[in-house]
Amino acid sequence: MSDTKNSILPDIIEPMSNAIQQNIPETARQADGALSTVVGFFNNVVLYPVKKANLTFRYKLEAFEDDLKEKIKDIPEENLQVPPVKIAGPVLEALRYAYDEAELREMYEEMLATAMDNRKAQQVHRSYVDAVRQMEPLDAQVLRRINDYNQITISHVKLYLAESQQQYYINAMPYHYNAALCDLGDPFQISASISNLLRLGLLISTAGFLNEGVAERIEKEPYIQKRFGLYSQLPGGVRIDVSGDCDIISLDSYGRYFVDVCMPKKEIENNAN
């Protein structure tokens, strides 16, 4: 990165908040430039409380700077800016608690990089910081996968007592199920992630109906058969029921802006069912 880009904005961010200022024992005028400003605050706000106890803080500082350099390398010098305080402050504060979780750290860094581009900074909504703060790494993976697929169909699968039309094992199957997500982790945790993303407003759910033959195919999927085999050992036996009703899970405008701002672009590997 050129010296011109490093020194394009010589002014330092004004104090972000009294709470953050209490964690900055050194002078706020750390260095010149948009990148140096953000890296300096990362050093003082995120790493300072653990500097004496954590021998890896210098590595983290260097890694953060390298990450941010990579993310802003294509921003023209005339468009590079110090990120708005309303974004930089909460992001750097949140990074203190999430830096060691790669998925979350990357979202925060992407948010900062977008806020440093004056052509895109207005797309960074301050609520995105709170959304990431309430996410787990698996939530980020699920959100990316659903965005890559554009939408997914959520099946409602139940394991009923063999001779009953009403009694079923409540905890036998995850509420939100799609085989295309199973490689990300435990399907029950994936279901919880979908619920959390719906709660955060990053996903929306609309009612749908399975096409002919789809329910029969779902019954034969490996995970369904595994759960069926487990519960078949219980007295009375079980049967699989795949409801014809389904949910279509997708991102609305808020969720798509969130992905554009907070997640680096990656190639779509395959298509959802």
Side-chain angles (χ1 to χ4, degrees), residues 42 47 54 56-64 99-100:
F42 177 81
L47 297 182
N54 188 346
T56 65
F57 83 90
R58 187 172 299 279
Y59 162 77
K60 291 182 178 181
L61 177 63
E62 293 172 354
F64 172 77
Y99 189 80
D100 292 325

Side-chain angles (χ1 to χ4, degrees), residues 122-134:
Q122 70 278 3
Q123 299 176 12
V124 186
H125 198 285
R126 70 180 75 196
S127 67
Y128 293 165
V129 183
D130 290 330
V132 177
R133 188 181 284 118
Q134 297 178 66

Side-chain angles (χ1 to χ4, degrees), residues 11 26 40 44 53 68 91 103 109-110 133 135 139 141 152 155 174 176 185 189 203 208 216-217 220-221 230 235 245:
D11 294 331
E26 306 166 19
N44 289 328
L68 207 54
V91 167
E103 292 282 353
E109 291 174 347
E110 283 289 328
R133 188 181 284 118
M135 291 171 65
D139 299 344
Q141 296 173 34
I152 64 168
S155 306
H176 301 290
Q189 293 181 353
L203 296 178
E216 290 78 5
R217 189 184 69 194
K220 298 177 182 177
E221 290 175 356
L230 178 64
D245 296 328

Side-chain angles (χ1 to χ4, degrees), residues 157-171 237-241:
V157 184
K158 295 179 180 178
L159 297 183
Y160 279 83
L161 293 176
E163 302 300 327
S164 173
Q165 298 296 321
Q166 297 179 327
Q167 292 181 293
Y168 63 92
Y169 293 100
I170 296 175
N171 298 318
V238 295
R239 62 180 177 84
I240 303 171
D241 182 85

Side-chain angles (χ1 to χ4, degrees), residues 75 79 81-87 110-128 253-254 257-258 260-262:
I75 301 177
N79 298 118
Q81 66 174 16
V82 173
V85 173
K86 68 178 184 178
I87 301 300
E110 283 289 328
M111 209 181 310
L112 277 177
T114 303
M116 293 174 71
D117 187 339
N118 63 19
R119 301 167 300 175
K120 301 179 180 179
Q122 70 278 3
Q123 299 176 12
V124 186
H125 198 285
R126 70 180 75 196
S127 67
Y128 293 165
S253 298
Y254 178 78
Y257 266 119
F258 177 90
D260 288 343
V261 166
C262 301

Side-chain angles (χ1 to χ4, degrees), residues 222-234:
Y223 182 76
I224 303 297
Q225 288 298 312
K226 178 182 178 180
R227 300 295 293 176
F228 174 73
L230 178 64
Y231 278 81
S232 293
Q233 302 174 34
L234 299 176

